[in-house]
Amino acid sequence: MQLKIKRLKYIPNSKFGLLLVFLSFLSLQAQEVVIDSTNVIKEEIGVKPKVNDTVKPFTRFKAEGVSAVIGEYVVLDSDIDKGYLELQQQGISIEDVTRCQLLGKLMEDKLYAHHAKVDSLIVSDDEVNQTLDQQLAYIINQFGGDEDKVAQFYKKESIQELRDELFSTNKTIMLGNRMQQKVVEDVEVTPEEVRQFFFSIPEDDRPIFSAEVEVAQIVIEPEITEAAKKKVIDKLNEFRRDIVENGSSFATKAVLYSKDGSASRGGLIEGIKKNSPFAKEFKDVAFSLLEGEVSEPFETEFGFHIVTVDKVRGQEIDVRHIILFPDVSQDVIDKARAKIDSIRAEIVAGNLEFAEAARKFSNEKETKNNGGQLVNPVSFDTRFDLTKMDPTLSAQVYNLEEGEVSKVFTDRDYTGKSKFKILTVTKKYAEHPADYSKDYEKIKELALKEKQIRAIEKWQDKKIKETYINVNRDYYDCQFSSNWLNN
């Protein structure tokens, strides 16, 4: 859902207008990974002043100087410098972004994190590590798997140094997010508030809802042969014998042969609990082992593994694992392609309904029983805003008419295995001005967000007065949207 609004502002510029700019490099839900600070720009940086945010540009600041103290947190000048670099690296113009704006946003983040600790809100190291593993795997993949290049790009001595810094940054952000969630968790809107919200907007200024689509797909995966599975199991048994009987290092085997992101750490996965988000088969095997014991090969939906328990810590265990994937022959791939071509031909000819074909033939467990219908992972309904959906999926369905079947597309999963799919648009919704009756749920969502923002603003104003805050004199001329200088 995209809004086109002329004068209506759902996120006030005074405090949250910058949020959209910074989400790309400060939010955990953005795709880019950020580093809070380490490297310092020592040459002078002049920044163009902006009327509503500062009265003069800054051309003087101290290397590693303290810009502000918020409770137990410190914001360095180098944090602000780093923010500029991160924006530039992502292709975002910094021409109109002032140091005052960057400092204001960093102070907000620290304020949330500080009071999350005061309120005893907890973000476990396990949660941070799970997010961090995904982030690093993504980054390393973007550099072709070369960890040295990643470290060099982020000006670190090693990938571990980058990991340590990202851990600290992510934990602070996650604490802040948790604090904001707590602030708004009890905020609700009544039907009357929704009505007032909508009809208070002048008719010409009401939001325009973007075109949306409902999409279904059929996925055919090449079948993995028993011979291919046996080959992988035999290889894992060979590793196990060498480790158990000859004393070979499990960690070294993982580094050399394992096929996932943990290989660089010797297959190490720390802090697994029985409710951790790992495959059930994986947890069942891991928690059945004694410390130092090596499992027999076993299968999960992700591949074939052997596991050893590195350390038992109460209800948590640290494990190492090696994962391998069966090879898929070209002959098997060709058979899968021929199968989906045949299914598509039957649907196009009118001999088979798309939904029926999905239920009968699709290999995608999540969608086949629903006739192949995709669910939006953000809204959890079946509608996708064409401007916000995954770019690859958007490109595949953008020009499809309702009921039309796409050509066959080839996807590859994280193991490199090919799979084939066809898609159809089951329903199209044209771009249109907001209608109170037809779009009530979307309007309710907007009204709720506005009320949540008001609650956060009120909380922030109150907490600034209650918190120790010290801003460097270099920033006294800033016209902050929040009352950071007179708390």
Side-chain angles (χ1 to χ4, degrees), residues 382-445:
T382 55
R383 291 191 181 192
F384 290 83
D385 183 332
L386 278 169
T387 65
K388 293 183 178 180
M389 66 194 305
D390 176 83
T392 300
L393 180 60
S394 177
Q396 291 169 345
V397 302
Y398 189 83
N399 292 318
L400 289 181
E401 297 298 327
E402 193 171 304
E404 184 181 358
V405 181
S406 74
K407 67 179 184 179
V408 176
F409 294 103
T410 303
D411 280 351
R412 285 181 173 79
D413 63 18
Y414 70 98
T415 72
K417 184 178 69 174
S418 298
K419 57 183 178 181
F420 304 102
K421 70 178 182 181
I422 53 176
L423 304 110
T424 189
V425 172
T426 56
K427 186 74 174 176
K428 273 194 167 185
Y429 302 87
E431 179 179 280
H432 63 280
D435 180 283
Y436 183 71
S437 298
K438 295 179 180 179
D439 300 307
Y440 179 82
E441 289 302 321
K442 293 187 179 69
I443 295 165
K444 179 182 178 182
E445 181 182 343

Side-chain angles (χ1 to χ4, degrees), residues 304-337:
F304 289 82
H305 315 249
I306 55 172
V307 174
T308 185
V309 173
D310 222 40
K311 189 172 183 180
V312 177
R313 294 185 282 109
Q315 299 300 310
E316 298 181 359
I317 57 175
D318 297 341
V319 306
R320 294 184 187 272
H321 84 131
I322 299 171
I323 183 171
L324 298 179
F325 313 122
D327 292 329
V328 180
S329 68
Q330 188 59 48
D331 180 58
V332 171
I333 293 173
D334 292 342
K335 287 180 180 178
R337 175 60 194 249

Side-chain angles (χ1 to χ4, degrees), residues 52-263:
N52 292 329
D53 298 286
T54 186
V55 296
K56 69 177 183 180
F58 279 86
T59 58
R60 177 176 60 84
F61 56 93
K62 300 182 293 295
E64 288 301 340
V66 174
S67 297
V69 178
I70 310 295
E72 66 180 74
Y73 289 96
V74 174
V75 180
L76 301 176
D77 283 334
S78 56
D79 291 331
I80 302 173
D81 304 334
K82 188 68 178 179
Y84 278 118
L85 290 177
E86 287 155 357
L87 288 172
Q88 288 178 309
Q89 287 166 1
Q90 295 173 58
I92 299 173
S93 173
I94 63 171
E95 182 180 357
D96 294 323
V97 179
T98 68
R99 292 183 72 80
C100 292
Q101 291 171 332
L102 284 167
L103 176 59
K105 183 62 178 71
L106 288 169
M107 288 193 293
E108 285 185 16
D109 293 339
K110 305 305 184 187
L111 182 71
Y112 297 135
H114 171 75
H115 283 283
K117 287 189 174 183
V118 171
D119 290 359
S120 300
L121 301 183
I122 296 173
V123 173
S124 70
D125 289 356
D126 291 345
E127 292 177 83
V128 181
N129 280 322
Q130 287 169 20
T131 299
L132 187 51
D133 286 341
Q134 295 173 2
Q135 290 177 332
L136 282 176
Y138 175 81
I139 295 173
I140 293 168
N141 182 61
Q142 297 304 300
F143 284 81
D146 192 327
E147 293 185 357
D148 290 337
K149 286 184 179 179
V150 174
Q152 183 179 8
F153 179 81
Y154 284 101
K155 296 181 174 61
K156 302 299 170 189
E157 293 296 325
S158 66
I159 199 73
Q160 185 60 46
E161 185 181 347
L162 174 62
R163 183 181 180 87
D164 292 343
E165 188 167 327
L166 282 172
F167 181 93
S168 176
T169 301
N170 284 342
K171 189 157 190 174
T172 298
I173 294 172
M174 291 172 77
L175 278 169
N177 289 344
R178 197 140 296 176
M179 187 69 250
Q180 290 190 50
Q181 290 167 8
K182 181 181 178 182
V183 172
V184 302
E185 65 184 359
D186 295 326
V187 176
E188 297 179 346
V189 288
T190 65
E192 177 59 22
E193 287 175 318
V194 177
R195 190 191 68 81
Q196 290 180 7
F197 168 81
F198 180 75
F199 288 106
S200 68
I201 307 170
E203 188 171 347
D204 290 342
D205 291 344
R206 286 174 185 168
I208 303 295
F209 292 124
S210 297
E212 295 177 308
V213 293
E214 294 182 349
V215 179
Q217 68 181 24
I218 297 171
V219 177
I220 301 297
E221 299 177 357
E223 184 179 357
I224 298 174
T225 64
E226 291 302 317
K229 292 180 181 180
K230 184 177 184 304
K231 185 177 178 180
V232 168
I233 292 171
D234 289 345
K235 190 69 174 176
L236 289 171
N237 274 321
E238 180 185 326
F239 294 159
R240 184 179 185 278
R241 282 193 300 271
D242 201 19
I243 295 164
V244 173
E245 298 175 10
N246 301 326
S248 292
S249 167
F250 193 108
T252 300
K253 294 282 188 188
V255 169
L256 293 174
Y257 302 109
S258 190
K259 301 298 184 182
D260 77 341
S262 70

